[in-house]
């Protein structure tokens, strides 16, 4: 009998239902076996009936041709060399034969430094078939993964589509204090802080949908009941979620302990401007290495000067604390709130696109509006939001956020405005008319303030009428007038022995720097005109007159 297989002895005919031809071109190793009963002992004896060419190429490369075929169990004894390996495979084959089951059974074994998987099945009532697959590469990859899981200092796990922990590494077990059996097969959500379940569920759904979710943060409960802050990076591969986490609990705890250091604002307990600058620089460095969504929110208390004027500075300080408390209570543990100075606050929100930051800002705005101060009564604030864009310097990101804030104030205050909205707004909203309460009491200073305001309004008219050359000329004229005004104002304040002249001069220097930066952006057409004119009118002219300069008005009234 010959159909591309090794010859089979005549005394071992096969059931006619089995056709050898179906195995002739089989690309994987295959063998046929049957059992006979020993007449003397009554025990089952395994015989090899035949095998295909792929089997011969896989297992008989170093065996002489005359020794290749063996009836009975000798073929496995010869192949494996190790009796234990042969006995285990034969025992599995006997179990399948005796069970009568038609299901395929798998058995893994090693031979000559290679790993194989034998799939054993009943062909009919007499014969067993075995298909052999070389799984050496798969096994080596599995060993590599196990080694990586063992030595990696990150917290690693594999999560199923229904958010169950499939595999975890030793570092995750060590950090959280569990045994592996405590975690594997359990729901990922069952270990999360209730406040983080919603956002994490959203991230898991996005990963299952094949979306890119570079980072997300949550609090994971350890065996001791204490929640640890973990920052995750995850990807979906062939339906499974492969996740890596860093334990940021210590850095979070360290941040909390900075209450009494220069990193905290003594008035509100929020981070200081200095701490914000350091944190923002760190975010920019990480963002350049790998993109992740991060947004900035700037808020400004509406009409805070009126609160101070009407109720006095002690009540004004209470209002600042009141606002800071509401801000902290409505932020996540991973958010970074800081006081920029005066009545202005800023928050950096990790793993948050602009849409999410707008939602968070609006939530805080409504909460503040509905929580009156016990003395000052209703307190509201305006909010500006912008997400960090690829290859964007920190200065541009901050200015876009600041511009969104001033647009929110321009549009009536007590509202939230995003960067995308500020780009689409009409520049008409940036125009201003002189108000008598802006007068300082010094004729020279007031004349210069009026002139700056008129030049700003004229700039907007040039833009609206598309007189680009006149617009550029007016921008340069404004830069010169502004510098001359600052010098003149500082001279007058020096003559009047203004105690905070040094701080006020520093504000002038900062405005000069910002104005040069914005002028270059506008000339290069790298910033939307609305954003430019909103910054120019609100920050440089109006805010400086109404807030910064108002501090010395008492000298002349």
């Amino acid at each position: 009998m010959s159909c591309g297989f090794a010859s089979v002895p005549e005394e071992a005919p096969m059931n006619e239902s089995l056709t050898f031809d179906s195995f002739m071109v089989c690309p994987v190793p295959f063998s046929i076996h049957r059992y006979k009963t020993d007449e003397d002992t009554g025990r089952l004896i395994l015989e090899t009936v035949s095998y295909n060419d792929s089997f011969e190429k896989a297992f008989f490369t170093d065996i002489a041709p005359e020794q290749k075929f063996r009836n009975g169990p000798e073929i496995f004894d010869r192949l494996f060399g190790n009796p234990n390996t042969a006995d285990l495979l034969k025992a599995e084959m006997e179990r399948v034969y005796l069970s009568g089951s038609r299901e395929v059974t798998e058995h893994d074994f090693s031979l000559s430094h290679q790993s194989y998987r034998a799939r054993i099945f009943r062909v009919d009532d007499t014969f067993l078939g075995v298909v052999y697959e070389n799984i050496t590469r798969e096994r080596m990859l599995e060993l590599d993964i196990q080694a990586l899981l063992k030595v990696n200092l990150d917290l690693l796990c594999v999560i199923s589509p229904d958010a169950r922990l499939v595999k975890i590494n030793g570092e995750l077990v060590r950090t959280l204090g569990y045994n592996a059996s405590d975690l594997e097969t359990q729901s990922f959500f069952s270990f999360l802080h209730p406040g983080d379940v919603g956002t994490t569920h959203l991230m898991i759904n996005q990963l299952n949908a094949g979306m890119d979710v570079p980072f997300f943060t949550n609090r994971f409960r350890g065996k001791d009941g204490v929640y640890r802050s973990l920052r995750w990076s995850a990807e979906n591969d062939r339906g499974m979620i492969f996740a890596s986490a860093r334990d940021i609990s210590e850095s979070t705890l360290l941040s909390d302990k900075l209450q009494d250091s220069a990193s905290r604002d003594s008035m509100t307990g929020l981070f200081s401007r200095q701490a914000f600058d350091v944190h923002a620089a760190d975010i920019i460095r990480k963002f350049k290495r790998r993109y992740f969504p991060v947004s900035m929110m700037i808020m400004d208390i509406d009409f805070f000067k009126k609160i101070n004027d009407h109720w006095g500075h002690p009540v004004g300080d209470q209002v600042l604390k009141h606002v800071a408390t509401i801000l902290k209570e409505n932020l996540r543990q991973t958010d970074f709130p800081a006081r920029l100075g005066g009545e202005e606050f800023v928050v950096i929100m990790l793993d948050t696109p602009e849409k999410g930051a707008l939602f968070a800002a609006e939530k805080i705005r409504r909460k503040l509006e509905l929580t009156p101060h016990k003395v000052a009564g209703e307190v509201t604030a305006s909010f500006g939001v912008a997400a960090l864009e690829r290859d964007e310097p920190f200065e541009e990101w901050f200015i876009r956020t600041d511009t969104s804030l001033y647009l929110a104030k321009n549009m009536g205050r007590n509202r939230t405005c995003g960067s995308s909205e500020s780009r689409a707004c009409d520049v008409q909203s940036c125009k201003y008319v002189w108000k008598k309460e802006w007068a300082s009491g010094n004729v020279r200073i007031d004349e210069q303030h009026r002139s700056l305001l008129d030049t700003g309004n004229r700039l907007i008219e040039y833009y609206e009428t598309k007189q680009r050359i006149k617009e550029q000329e007016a921008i340069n004229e404004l830069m010169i007038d502004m510098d001359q005004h600052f010098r003149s104002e500082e001279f007058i304040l020096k003559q009047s022995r203004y105690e905070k002249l040094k701080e006020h001069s520093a504000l002038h220097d900062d405005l000069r720097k910002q104005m040069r930066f914005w002028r270059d952006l506008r000339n290069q057409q790298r910033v939307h005109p609305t954003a430019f004119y909103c910054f120019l009118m609100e920050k440089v002219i109006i805010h400086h007159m109404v807030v910064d300069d108002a501090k010395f008005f008492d000298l002349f009234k």
Side-chain angles (χ1 to χ4, degrees):
M1 189 177 197
S2 176
C3 293
F5 285 74
S7 59
V8 181
E10 292 300 326
E11 68 270 21
M14 292 188 63
N15 189 305
E16 291 180 357
S17 65
L18 176 64
T19 304
F20 278 132
D21 290 345
S22 61
F23 305 113
M24 287 184 62
V25 293
C26 185
V28 296
F30 180 84
S31 61
I32 296 290
H33 308 269
R34 68 181 174 189
Y35 280 95
K36 284 189 175 181
T37 304
D38 187 285
E39 296 180 357
D40 297 329
T41 64
R43 297 180 59 186
L44 289 174
I45 299 176
L46 176 68
E47 291 186 345
T48 298
V49 176
S50 189
Y51 47 83
N52 67 356
D53 293 340
S54 297
F55 182 96
E56 182 174 318
K57 291 177 182 178
F59 300 120
F60 287 153
T61 55
D62 59 346
I63 298 178
E66 65 274 10
Q67 296 180 330
K68 285 184 179 181
F69 185 78
R70 293 289 186 274
N71 257 350
E74 294 90 343
I75 184 171
F76 290 126
D77 296 337
R78 178 69 183 85
L79 284 178
F80 295 120
N82 185 336
N84 290 333
T85 304
D87 289 343
L88 288 172
L89 178 58
K90 287 187 288 184
E92 192 63 31
M93 293 174 67
E94 185 174 333
R95 187 191 66 77
V96 173
Y97 178 77
L98 293 175
S99 71
S101 172
R102 297 287 183 178
E103 294 183 358
V104 177
T105 298
E106 294 182 347
H107 177 78
D108 295 348
F109 63 89
S110 298
L111 175 65
S112 301
H113 307 294
Q114 298 287 305
S115 297
Y116 294 92
R117 177 165 293 147
R119 292 184 171 88
I120 308 164
F121 60 95
R122 290 182 68 99
V123 177
D124 55 20
D125 293 339
T126 304
F127 296 97
L128 290 178
V130 184
V131 176
Y132 305 86
E133 178 188 2
N134 191 319
I135 60 170
T136 304
R137 185 175 179 181
E138 177 183 333
R139 182 57 54 83
M140 292 299 295
L141 179 60
E142 183 178 341
L143 291 174
D144 288 343
I145 292 174
Q146 290 177 353
L148 181 63
L149 289 173
K150 185 176 181 180
V151 303
N152 201 294
L153 296 179
D154 285 342
L155 284 61
L156 306 179
C157 66
V158 181
I159 305 171
S160 66
D162 62 348
R164 295 196 174 275
L165 291 161
V166 177
K167 187 180 287 293
I168 58 177
N169 74 334
E171 189 64 20
L172 190 146
V173 169
R174 185 195 66 77
T175 300
L176 299 175
Y178 293 103
N179 294 320
S181 58
D182 297 331
L183 295 170
E184 291 178 348
T185 75
Q186 298 299 309
S187 171
F188 187 77
F189 298 115
S190 63
F191 298 94
L192 297 184
H193 187 282
D196 297 332
V197 171
T199 54
T200 304
H201 193 275
L202 175 64
M203 297 301 165
I204 295 294
N205 286 344
Q206 290 178 351
L207 286 165
N208 284 331
M211 298 173 65
D212 184 24
V213 182
F215 293 102
F216 61 96
T217 306
N218 55 32
R219 288 162 289 180
F220 206 94
R221 188 181 69 253
K223 192 169 185 178
D224 57 3
V226 176
Y227 285 97
R228 305 191 71 82
S229 296
L230 304 182
R231 188 162 189 245
W232 297 87
S233 174
E235 291 185 359
N236 187 312
D237 185 17
R238 290 169 291 181
M240 301 297 283
I241 297 172
F242 293 81
S244 169
R246 292 280 176 93
D247 184 0
I248 61 173
S249 303
E250 291 185 5
S251 60
T252 302
L253 182 61
L254 179 61
S255 296
D256 293 339
K257 290 181 178 179
L258 294 176
Q259 291 279 355
D260 300 324
S261 72
S263 296
R264 290 284 175 175
D265 175 62
S266 58
M267 175 70 69
T268 62
L270 301 177
F271 287 103
S272 65
R273 174 61 189 262
Q274 181 184 7
F276 165 75
D277 290 340
V278 172
H279 183 68
D282 184 57
I283 292 295
I284 294 294
R285 282 194 297 271
K286 292 177 179 178
F287 189 85
K288 287 181 178 178
R289 290 198 300 268
R290 181 175 182 181
Y291 169 79
F292 55 92
V294 55
S295 293
M296 186 188 304
M297 172 202 308
I298 301 180
M299 64 175 287
D300 187 275
I301 302 174
D302 296 330
F303 306 111
F304 184 70
K305 183 177 183 300
K306 290 184 178 180
I307 295 175
N308 273 335
D309 292 344
H310 184 77
W311 298 103
H313 289 282
V315 173
D317 292 345
Q318 292 178 18
V319 169
L320 290 174
K321 295 176 182 178
H322 169 75
V323 172
T325 299
I326 291 176
L327 183 63
K328 286 185 287 187
E329 289 176 349
N330 289 275
L331 291 174
R332 303 168 302 177
Q333 188 179 13
T334 54
D335 296 330
F336 191 96
R339 183 184 176 198
L340 286 177
E343 67 274 24
E344 206 167 43
F345 303 86
V346 63
V347 182
I348 290 183
M349 310 182 77
L350 291 176
D351 308 318
T352 307
E354 184 169 309
K355 186 176 180 180
L358 282 169
F359 179 83
E362 187 61 16
K363 175 185 173 184
I364 296 168
R365 188 197 66 77
R366 290 198 303 267
K367 182 68 175 178
L368 182 61
E369 184 180 27
L370 297 173
T371 311
H373 184 262
K374 60 184 179 180
V375 176
E378 183 183 73
V379 177
T380 63
S382 301
F383 294 78
V385 169
L388 180 60
E389 298 179 349
R390 294 182 186 273
D391 302 320
E392 182 177 38
F394 168 75
E395 291 80 6
E396 291 188 26
W397 181 28
F398 184 87
I399 288 174
R400 283 196 304 109
T401 312
D402 204 29
T403 301
S404 299
L405 166 66
Y406 284 111
L407 183 60
K409 294 168 69 175
N410 255 357
M411 299 173 72
R413 289 181 167 81
N414 190 25
R415 64 165 293 154
T416 301
C417 181
S419 177
S420 56
E421 187 177 356
S422 70
R423 288 167 174 163
C425 184
D426 186 359
V427 294
Q428 278 289 338
S429 63
C430 301
K431 285 187 174 182
Y432 279 89
V433 177
W434 177 267
K435 297 179 182 181
K436 62 180 181 179
E437 57 263 32
W438 294 348
S440 68
N442 183 283
V443 176
R444 189 175 178 186
I445 290 177
D446 290 343
E447 286 178 351
Q448 293 172 353
H449 281 171
R450 282 176 177 270
S451 177
L452 290 174
L453 186 63
D454 290 342
T455 304
N457 286 329
R458 192 168 73 253
L459 262 171
I460 295 175
E461 291 176 3
Y462 289 150
Y463 165 73
E464 290 178 320
T465 55
K466 299 182 179 180
Q467 300 183 63
R468 187 75 180 100
I469 295 177
K470 286 188 175 182
E471 182 189 0
Q472 288 181 325
E473 290 175 349
I475 290 175
N476 294 331
E477 178 187 337
L478 180 64
M479 291 282 292
I480 295 172
D481 290 347
M482 183 179 68
D483 184 67
Q484 291 177 347
H485 162 64
F486 288 162
R487 294 178 187 275
S488 175
E489 187 176 88
E490 289 170 14
F491 177 79
I492 294 171
L493 293 178
K494 183 177 181 180
Q495 294 294 103
S496 302
R497 301 184 183 278
Y498 182 48
E499 293 181 354
K500 296 184 178 180
L501 176 59
K502 185 176 181 180
E503 292 87 342
H504 199 76
S505 297
L507 290 174
H508 288 167
D509 291 339
D510 186 56
L511 282 175
R512 287 187 182 98
K513 179 181 178 182
Q514 291 190 49
M515 189 60 197
R516 286 194 296 269
F517 175 76
W518 273 84
R519 177 198 59 189
D520 294 342
L521 289 181
R522 178 68 185 126
N523 289 337
Q524 297 166 18
Q525 297 186 355
R526 291 172 55 201
V527 62
H528 194 278
T530 302
F532 173 75
Y533 287 113
C534 188
F535 164 80
L536 175 68
M537 300 299 287
E538 274 284 351
K539 184 73 173 180
V540 178
I541 299 177
I542 303 302
H543 185 275
H544 186 61
M545 283 195 304
V546 176
V547 178
D548 298 333
D549 286 0
K551 295 175 182 177
F552 63 71
F553 283 5
D554 288 341
L555 290 174
F556 310 112
K557 289 185 178 180

